[in-house]
């Protein structure tokens, strides 16, 4: 029906992988029968080694912060806060990229992954990392999120009021 009204937009050839998904994302989970499996492996290896490089850099920063001579309580608090932030960033990146890399290597080795793995990757893992990174890297956003969490968390100083009741039962024998 569309082609009848607009023949100039008739398909010329097969659309392929990118025309069958709603996300413009390279195909990560391939097997060796695919013609572009090397591209996928190079891309996954680059992401894996980039993650390992960033992990080792953050580990070096944390180690240097730990071994710095402590001049004051304030510098100790700042160092501890920086280590906590580094730890949160690395956990977020780990939860995103290690499953993707692992599934890609498993796929290339010949194991058939369940349907929906690419949807899970494109719909959950990558957006999760993208959503958490601004919170983790920006102290302004982190402070806003902490204030929002405090608003909904019950206060620890507030003791709950327990209502007691008295039950008078007169029993006559």
């Amino acid at each position: 029906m569309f082609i009848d009204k607009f023949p100039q937009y008739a398909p010329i050839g097969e659309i392929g992988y990118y025309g069958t998904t709603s996300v413009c994302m390279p195909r990560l989970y391939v097997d060796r029968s695919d013609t572009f499996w090397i591209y996928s492996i190079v891309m996954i290896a680059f992401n894996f080694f980039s993650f390992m490089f960033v992990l080792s850099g953050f580990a070096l920063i944390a180690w240097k912060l730990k071994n710095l001579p402590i001049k004051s309580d304030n510098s100790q608090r700042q160092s501890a806060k920086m280590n906590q932030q580094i730890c949160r960033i690395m956990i977020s990146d780990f939860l995103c990229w290690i499953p993707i890399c692992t599934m890609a290597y498993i796929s290339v080795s010949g194991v058939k992954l369940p349907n929906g793995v690419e949807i899970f990757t494109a719909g959950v893992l990558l957006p999760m990392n993208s959503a958490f990174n601004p919170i983790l890297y920006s102290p302004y956003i982190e402070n806003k999120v902490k204030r929002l969490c405090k608003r909904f968390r019950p206060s620890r100083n507030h003791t709950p009021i327990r209502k007691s009741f008295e039950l008078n039962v007169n029993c006559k024998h």
Side-chain angles (χ1 to χ4, degrees), residues 1 17 22 25 27 43 83 95 99 111 117 142 147-148:
M1 179 162 41
Y17 171 75
S22 62
M25 183 177 112
R27 195 160 173 201
M43 190 173 57
N83 279 336
L95 291 175
V111 176
V117 169
E142 182 181 7
R147 280 192 217 141
L148 186 66

Side-chain angles (χ1 to χ4, degrees), residues 127-144:
M128 175 185 72
N129 194 7
S130 298
F132 285 148
N133 277 343
I135 296 168
L136 297 174
Y137 281 98
S138 170
Y140 176 76
I141 295 174
E142 182 181 7
N143 290 336
K144 291 289 185 185

Side-chain angles (χ1 to χ4, degrees), residues 15-162:
I15 294 173
Y17 171 75
Y18 293 104
T20 60
T21 65
S22 62
V23 178
C24 185
M25 183 177 112
R27 195 160 173 201
L28 300 174
Y29 310 123
V30 296
D31 58 15
R32 289 184 187 229
S33 66
D34 290 324
T35 56
F36 51 86
W37 71 273
I38 292 177
Y39 168 74
S40 179
I41 288 301
V42 167
M43 190 173 57
I44 290 298
F46 177 75
N47 281 319
F48 178 75
F49 288 119
S50 297
F51 171 76
M52 296 307 288
F53 178 75
V54 170
L55 176 68
S56 60
F58 277 141
L60 182 64
I61 291 170
W63 181 73
K64 292 274 188 182
L65 284 173
K66 186 177 180 182
N67 291 331
L68 280 177
I70 299 171
K71 296 179 181 176
S72 67
D73 287 340
N74 189 32
S75 66
Q76 186 176 6
R77 269 185 263 131
Q78 285 179 339
S79 178
K81 187 175 179 179
M82 176 69 83
N83 279 336
Q84 288 174 354
Q85 186 176 8
I86 288 171
C87 186
R88 286 192 301 264
I89 289 169
M90 293 317 305
I91 288 171
S92 168
D93 288 346
F94 178 85
L95 291 175
C96 173
W97 285 108
I98 295 303
I100 292 172
C101 293
T102 303
M103 289 186 290
Y105 291 132
I106 288 172
S107 177
V108 168
S109 72
V111 176
K112 175 89 172 102
L113 295 175
N115 292 337
V117 169
E118 287 186 2
I119 295 169
F120 177 74
T121 300
V124 176
L125 291 177
L126 292 175
M128 175 185 72
N129 194 7
S130 298
F132 285 148
N133 277 343
I135 296 168
L136 297 174
Y137 281 98
S138 170
Y140 176 76
I141 295 174
E142 182 181 7
N143 290 336
K144 291 289 185 185
V145 170
K146 283 181 182 179
R147 280 192 217 141
L148 186 66
C149 289
K150 282 182 182 178
R151 183 177 293 174
F152 293 107
R153 190 178 340 155
S155 174
R156 292 182 182 170
N157 297 335
H158 178 68
T159 55
I161 299 172
R162 295 185 182 190

Side-chain angles (χ1 to χ4, degrees), residues 166-173:
E166 193 173 300
L167 181 63
N168 291 327
V169 178
N170 292 329
C171 296
K172 293 185 181 179
H173 297 285

